[in-house]
Amino acid sequence: MNIRDFGAWITPQLERLGGDTGVYVKNLITGETFMRGEDIPVVAASVIKIPVMIEAFRAAHEGELSLHEIHALRDEERMPSCGTLKAMHTGIEMTLLDLTKLMIIVSDNSATNIMINRLGIANVNRTLRALGCEKTTLNRLLFDAEASRRGVKNYITAREMGEVLEKIWRGEVVSKEVSAQMMDILLDQRLNGKLPFFIDSMGVDVAHKTGEDDGISHDVGVIFAK
């Protein structure tokens, strides 16, 4: 199926859905693109973890921190829902690289907040702007009840996440070597019930990151199909 046929197939299905939908699909070889609602800012859920990962590798590449730095888990750092750290004992030690990988491959919320606090929200957003993202924004920690009550949310758009993933695929984020490392982490994704679900049996790799919350379902990634 080419991109034009894909657009014709998916459009009526999107029209049957309620709420906001954003789709951005690009053939990275031919450049052919289908977009619908691609610039609508939507609540990011766990897709915001991709920019946090990028900032971690950028800061390490620039010598601002070491991904070998050890962090010991504290009681108050345990977050609900996704991940494994909530079940680990207090004081368990991990490197910042370990935390970054857990944040992506099992969508660990505890690891995410630890990394956001270590990196700084402003730094994540500065890196997003340098990547050309105008609407994708990290505004708060995950499970920040007080900020949530004030309506503060994290946002992404389909187009901006697609363009960031393309830059990682092309080796243009931080460095060629760092981009390859981030792509390998995305390929190690363990939450595979969305984009990869129907194509896994075809032996197609998908480097991706899901996101979900009440009324929200996302998946963004690079599909390595012929």
Side-chain angles (χ1 to χ4, degrees):
M1 180 184 293
N2 61 35
I3 298 296
R4 180 180 298 178
D5 290 342
F6 172 82
W9 169 77
I10 200 172
T11 296
Q13 301 192 58
L14 293 172
E15 290 172 349
R16 288 195 291 269
L17 294 173
D20 295 324
T21 57
V23 178
Y24 176 92
V25 183
K26 182 176 182 179
N27 184 318
L28 295 176
I29 306 302
T30 68
E32 186 182 9
T33 306
F34 170 79
M35 296 179 283
R36 179 186 171 95
E38 68 279 6
D39 294 322
I40 298 172
V42 293
V43 177
S46 287
V47 175
I48 203 65
K49 294 168 184 175
I50 292 178
V52 178
M53 174 181 68
I54 292 171
E55 172 57 17
F57 278 99
R58 183 213 62 80
H61 185 75
E62 298 295 327
E64 298 171 13
L65 58 76
S66 169
L67 291 176
H68 299 296
E69 177 183 320
I70 299 295
H71 179 88
L73 181 68
R74 301 192 297 269
D75 282 336
E76 64 271 20
E77 292 173 330
R78 290 190 178 87
M79 292 293 111
S81 190
C82 286
T84 60
L85 290 185
K86 64 181 181 180
M88 299 296 102
H89 67 81
T90 301
I92 187 171
E93 294 185 343
M94 300 144 290
T95 66
L96 298 188
L97 180 58
D98 293 332
L99 292 166
T100 301
K101 289 180 177 179
L102 288 172
M103 177 178 69
I104 299 297
I105 67 174
V106 293
S107 204
D108 196 293
N109 293 324
S110 304
T112 303
N113 277 1
I114 292 168
M115 291 305 298
I116 291 173
N117 281 324
R118 180 65 182 83
L119 298 166
I121 289 175
N123 291 328
V124 174
N125 288 326
R126 189 177 301 113
T127 292
L128 279 167
R129 300 300 170 259
L131 289 168
C133 297
E134 298 179 355
K135 298 178 180 179
T136 298
T137 305
L138 175 66
N139 289 310
R140 65 169 175 86
L141 294 165
L142 306 184
F143 294 96
D144 184 336
E146 193 278 328
S148 183
R149 279 193 296 271
R150 291 187 284 110
V152 178
K153 300 177 181 180
N154 303 318
Y155 290 98
I156 57 169
T157 73
R159 185 209 298 264
E160 289 182 349
M161 293 316 303
E163 290 177 344
V164 166
L165 286 164
E166 179 177 355
K167 288 175 180 175
I168 294 175
W169 178 76
R170 294 191 184 281
E172 298 172 352
V173 178
V174 182
S175 73
K176 186 175 181 179
E177 293 73 22
V178 167
S179 290
Q181 190 172 2
M182 290 191 288
M183 188 61 70
D184 284 343
I185 293 172
L186 292 165
L187 280 165
D188 201 25
Q189 178 61 243
R190 303 307 165 125
L191 305 178
N192 291 315
K194 296 183 184 181
L195 277 179
F197 185 75
F198 291 104
I199 62 175
D200 180 62
S201 61
M202 300 166 59
V204 175
D205 290 329
V206 182
H208 71 113
K209 181 71 196 79
T210 59
E212 54 191 53
D213 204 338
D214 294 338
I216 297 167
S217 185
H218 304 312
D219 205 352
V220 300
V222 178
I223 300 173
F224 291 86
K226 293 181 181 179

